[in-house]
């Protein structure tokens, strides 16, 4: 369904935080890659859980049964969001990083010293650190090189994957540069050597419809707070795969997938919010099923974000003293996330973020845990980059305010 300026203005009314002003400046939330704002429906679902159903699961009384039903309903809704066959492939955790560490412990038990894991220089540390830690067990970790243009080097990718590779772990989209990576290439290379494929969809999931079945991935992780929900990590594992893995779990914990990687009591209220967030996204789409509405909504929202991102990219690049990092927007929607990073001659990213923040323009500076990418691009010494993230509720007025702010800073330098 088309998502235009009119839909954007309408959706803005659903997000209470967008009404906030500080020192007379309306807050422009351009910090989506670090977490989006939540609509009223999500807030109501979380509060509603505490008001009516707050209980632990698997009890023989009404509020516990409500909680059981809610958890299973949330799994099914997330499955629709991911394109997974069912909620049985969907596990929850504290956040993506924690789930990935848990998964790394389980996969390490299937590996021997000398086995190899391929990661990338572009990835967030959450999809590097857990794998790099396995070097302590004699596992060899290889890195796919990042090119100066912000894309992964496909030839190097082919070189890094060897007959000893057991896992390829790659992000679908970069939270620092907006690059969308070639998942088909990663699948082909990993498949040729019989390795698992793990995709970090944390940045990607906020902007594009996901389809784990079409991606043919073994694992995929994302985080609901990046797509209008609360802080909950999500893991998809290919049907039958998680059940075979030796996860960190208590003996009394359910052995079956998807539960066997879920430790302790989950955040039930937040899970109510995850379901509400996906239902909210679906409400912007059309179609006979939740899945169809999600895909339709994400296509429309993605196109809106892409247009705003392309406008910002082109306009900011034209300001003297500004360098834009990462790919341009010539690629189609779906091939470029609406996240744009810049540096300014003579102004550190931190000073720029402070000055913009004082005008209510909430942008991030630094490396955003994509520290290796920032290092490889030679930007670590000066404090990384200034990152602008665009999501469904950002409008042209906010981008123009940001352009004015950047122009002023560049002019003063
Ligand atoms: C691309 C990417 N991967 C992983 C993560 C980590 O997610 P979480 O905060 O849920 O652990 C982030 C968070 O910023 C991210 O942007």
């Amino acid at each position: 369904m088309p998502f235009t300026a009119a839909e954007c203005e309408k959706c803005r009314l659903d997000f209470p935080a967008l009404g906030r002003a500080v020192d007379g400046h309306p807050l422009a939330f351009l910090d989506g890659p670090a977490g989006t704002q939540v609509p009223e429906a999500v807030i109501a679902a979380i509060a509603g859980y505490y008001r009516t159903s707050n209980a632990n699961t698997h009890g023989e009384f009404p509020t516990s049964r409500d909680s059981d039903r809610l958890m299973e309903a949330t799994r099914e809704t997330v499955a629709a969001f991911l394109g997974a066959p069912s909620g049985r492939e969907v596990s929850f955790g504290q956040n993506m990083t924690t789930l990935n560490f848990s998964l790394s412990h389980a996969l390490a038990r299937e590996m021997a010293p000398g086995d190899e894991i391929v990661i990338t220089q572009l990835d967030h540390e959450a999809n590097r650190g857990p794998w790099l830690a396995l070097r302590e067990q004699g596992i060899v970790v290889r890195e796919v090189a990042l090119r100066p243009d912000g894309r992964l080097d496909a030839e190097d990718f082919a070189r890094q994957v060897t007959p000893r590779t057991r896992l390829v772990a790659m992000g679908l989209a970069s939270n620092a540069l907006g690059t969308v990576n070639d998942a088909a290439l990663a699948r082909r290379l990993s498949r040729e050597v019989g390795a698992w494929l793990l995709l970090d969809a944390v940045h990607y999931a906020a902007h594009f419809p996901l389809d784990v079945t079409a991606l043919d991935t073994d694992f995929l992780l994302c985080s609901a707070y990046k797509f209008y929900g609360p802080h909950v990590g999500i893991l998809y594992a290919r049907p039958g795969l998680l059940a075979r893995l030796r996860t960190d779990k208590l003996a009394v914990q359910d052995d079956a997938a998807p539960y066997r990687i879920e430790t302790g009591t989950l955040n039930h209220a937040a899970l109510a919010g995850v379901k509400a967030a996906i239902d909210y996204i679906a409400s912007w789409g059309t179609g006979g099923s939740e899945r169809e509405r999600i895909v339709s909504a994400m296509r429309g929202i993605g196109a809106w974000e892409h247009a705003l991102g392309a406008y910002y990219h082109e306009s900011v690049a034209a300001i003297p003293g500004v360098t834009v990092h990462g790919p341009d927007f010539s690629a189609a929607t779906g091939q470029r996330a609406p996240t744009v990073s810049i540096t300014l001659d003579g102004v550190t990213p931190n000073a720029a973020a402070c000055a913009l923040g004082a005008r209510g323009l909430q942008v991030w500076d630094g490396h955003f845990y994509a520290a290796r990418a920032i290092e490889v691009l030679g930007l670590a010494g000066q404090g990384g980059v200034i990152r602008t993230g665009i999501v469904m509720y950002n409008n042209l007025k906010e981008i123009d305010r940001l352009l004015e702010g950047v122009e002023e800073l560049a002019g003063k330098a």
Side-chain angles (χ1 to χ4, degrees):
M1 195 168 94
F3 190 93
T4 66
E7 278 77 26
C8 176
E9 291 313 313
K10 196 162 162 243
C11 99
R12 288 177 64 85
L13 302 173
D14 298 332
F15 291 81
L18 303 194
R20 222 185 134 190
V22 174
D23 298 335
H25 301 290
L27 296 186
F29 290 89
L30 297 160
D31 58 336
T36 50
Q37 298 308 304
V38 294
E40 193 58 59
V42 170
I43 300 168
I46 295 170
Y49 178 79
Y50 284 124
R51 286 211 177 90
T52 64
S53 330
N54 190 16
N56 217 324
T57 51
H58 306 308
E60 302 302 341
F61 51 91
T63 55
S64 181
R65 291 205 177 111
D66 286 347
S67 296
D68 287 338
R69 272 194 294 273
L70 166 76
M71 308 275 277
E72 294 322 308
T74 302
R75 283 187 214 279
E76 292 305 322
T77 300
V78 173
F81 183 72
L82 302 176
S86 78
R88 286 189 301 279
E89 289 78 46
V90 176
S91 307
F92 297 119
Q94 190 182 345
N95 48 49
M96 180 276 186
T97 305
T98 307
L99 276 171
N100 214 21
F101 267 115
S102 301
L103 191 58
S104 73
H105 299 164
L107 292 183
R109 292 187 182 110
E110 307 298 314
M111 295 187 199
D115 281 353
E116 296 177 3
I117 293 176
V118 174
I119 61 172
T120 89
Q121 290 185 339
L122 183 54
D123 271 66
H124 187 285
E125 278 303 303
N127 201 26
R128 292 171 44 86
W131 312 116
L132 287 166
L134 300 185
R135 288 181 299 184
E136 271 179 18
Q137 293 173 223
I139 288 162
V140 176
V141 180
R142 292 161 159 270
E143 262 188 356
V144 179
L146 175 64
R147 301 189 321 203
D149 67 1
R151 292 190 174 85
L152 291 175
D153 184 329
E155 283 168 22
D156 189 52
F157 210 147
R159 273 194 299 275
Q160 299 305 335
V161 178
T162 78
R164 296 225 64 170
T165 306
R166 300 293 313 282
L167 170 74
V168 172
M170 184 188 80
L172 275 178
S174 160
N175 67 316
L177 302 176
T179 317
V180 170
N181 293 325
D182 189 346
L185 174 68
R187 178 68 283 180
R188 182 169 60 72
L189 293 173
S190 52
R191 175 77 74 221
E192 275 167 13
V193 295
W196 290 299
L197 175 65
L198 178 149
L199 297 171
D200 169 3
V202 172
H203 192 64
Y204 188 93
H207 307 295
F208 311 112
L210 276 167
D211 189 338
V212 287
T213 310
L215 288 164
D216 194 18
T217 188
D218 298 294
F219 305 100
L220 180 140
L221 294 119
C222 59
S223 234
Y225 75 99
K226 310 285 189 175
F227 54 85
Y228 317 111
H231 293 85
V232 172
I234 294 167
L235 167 69
Y236 160 84
R238 181 189 289 284
L241 182 48
L242 189 62
R244 297 205 298 275
L245 297 181
R246 286 167 286 167
T247 52
D248 292 337
K249 66 178 282 298
L250 302 178
V252 286
Q253 163 76 2
D254 196 331
D255 257 337
Y259 316 107
R260 61 186 285 114
I261 199 163
E262 294 175 345
T263 44
T265 305
L266 292 173
N267 187 337
H268 302 158
L271 285 166
V274 172
K275 181 173 184 329
I278 296 173
D279 289 343
Y280 178 77
I281 291 171
S283 76
W284 292 97
T286 54
S289 67
E290 173 95 343
R291 170 77 187 155
E292 282 167 6
R293 288 188 290 279
I294 292 166
V295 171
S296 144
M298 290 304 295
R299 287 211 177 109
I301 292 165
W304 168 252
E305 296 169 344
H306 188 86
L308 273 190
Y311 168 70
Y312 174 65
H313 186 278
E314 194 185 327
S315 313
V316 83
I319 299 173
V322 170
T323 306
V324 187
H325 303 276
D328 65 21
F329 278 72
S330 53
T333 316
Q335 302 302 313
R336 175 61 163 94
T339 297
V340 180
S341 285
I342 62 167
T343 46
L344 281 163
D345 292 349
V347 189
T348 65
N350 186 254
C354 284
L356 295 168
R359 300 166 74 135
L361 298 161
Q362 308 206 130
V363 294
W364 277 99
D365 66 290
H367 57 59
F368 336 109
Y369 284 21
R372 185 76 174 117
I374 294 297
E375 180 190 36
V376 168
L377 293 176
L379 299 166
Q382 62 180 61
V385 293
I386 307 152
R387 178 185 70 182
T388 298
I390 293 166
V391 295
M392 72 186 295
Y393 50 66
N394 292 122
N395 63 18
L396 195 55
K397 203 166 145 195
E398 291 175 330
I399 301 298
D400 281 337
R401 274 176 64 201
L402 176 63
L403 285 167
E404 245 172 62
V406 172
E407 203 157 10
E408 211 168 283
L409 281 171
K412 276 195 204 143

